[in-house]
Amino acid sequence: MPWIYAIVGLLVGLVAGVVISRLTTPQYKAQKSLKKDLDSAKYALEQQRQELSDHFAQTAEMLDTLGKDYTKLYQHMSKTSSELLPNVPEQDNPFVKQIAQQKEENSSDEALEEQPKDYALGATGLLKTEEKAILHSSEVIDVKAS
C-alpha cells in the first residue's frame, strides 16, 4: 500500500512541476504570443486572398459586360450610319469594313464550334464482333524483306 502513495505522489509532483515550469518560463509566453500573431496573420492573409478573388471575379464580369456593350454600340453605329447616310460610298463609311471583318470572324468562330470529324479510314471494328487478324513480328519482317 505505501508504494501506491509513492506513485500517486510522484504523478502529482510531475504534473505540478510541469504546470509551474510552464507558467514561470518566459519563452512559453513568447511562444504563445507568437502563435497568436501567426494565427491572426494567417486569417488576415486568407481574408485578403478572398477579397482579391472576389475583386477579380467582379472585374471579369464588368469587362465582359463592357465588351458586350461596345459591340452593341458599334453594331448600332454601323446600322444607323448606313440608314442615315445611304448615298455615302462604302469606302467612306468606316463601319462597313468593320462589319465585314466581324462577319468573317463570326463565321470562323462558328467553324470552330463544329464537331470534330472522324478521320478513321473505314470501320475500326470497335463495335463489331469480328476478330481482327493478328500479325506476329516475324510475319511483318518477312513481308518487308520480300
Side-chain angles (χ1 to χ4, degrees):
M1 191 74 158
W3 56 274
I4 292 178
Y5 293 125
I7 291 175
V8 170
L10 181 64
L11 289 176
V12 170
L14 282 174
V15 170
V18 168
V19 170
I20 290 171
S21 67
R22 287 276 177 127
L23 294 177
T24 59
T25 305
Q27 295 157 345
Y28 177 72
K29 292 179 184 177
Q31 181 185 6
K32 197 172 182 181
S33 173
L34 284 174
K35 177 139 177 70
K36 183 179 177 184
D37 291 344
L38 177 65
D39 289 341
S40 66
K42 283 182 180 179
Y43 179 74
L45 180 63
E46 188 60 35
Q47 286 293 104
Q48 187 178 17
R49 283 183 181 165
Q50 185 62 40
E51 289 174 6
L52 192 60
S53 176
D54 292 344
H55 168 73
F56 283 133
Q58 185 180 12
T59 303
E61 198 173 293
M62 292 169 73
L63 284 173
D64 186 44
T65 304
L66 181 66
K68 289 177 182 176
D69 288 345
Y70 272 126
T71 304
K72 285 181 185 177
L73 176 65
Y74 195 82
Q75 289 172 350
H76 171 73
M77 291 296 293
S78 64
K79 181 180 175 185
T80 55
S81 69
S82 62
E83 288 175 0
L84 295 175
L85 302 171
N87 297 331
V88 174
E90 288 186 11
Q91 65 268 14
D92 292 340
N93 190 347
F95 295 106
V96 172
K97 296 175 190 173
Q98 296 294 331
I99 291 172
Q101 288 177 356
Q102 284 180 351
K103 286 180 181 177
E104 289 175 8
E105 289 175 4
N106 288 342
S107 65
S108 66
D109 288 343
E110 290 173 3
L112 293 176
E113 292 177 5
E114 293 178 6
Q115 291 182 344
K117 296 180 179 173
D118 186 11
Y119 292 104
L121 298 175
T124 59
L126 289 175
L127 301 176
K128 294 182 179 180
T129 58
E130 298 175 8
E131 292 186 22
K132 292 191 172 197
I134 299 174
L135 297 176
H136 298 287
S137 59
S138 61
E139 294 173 359
V140 175
I141 292 172
D142 291 337
V143 171
K144 288 183 180 179
S146 49

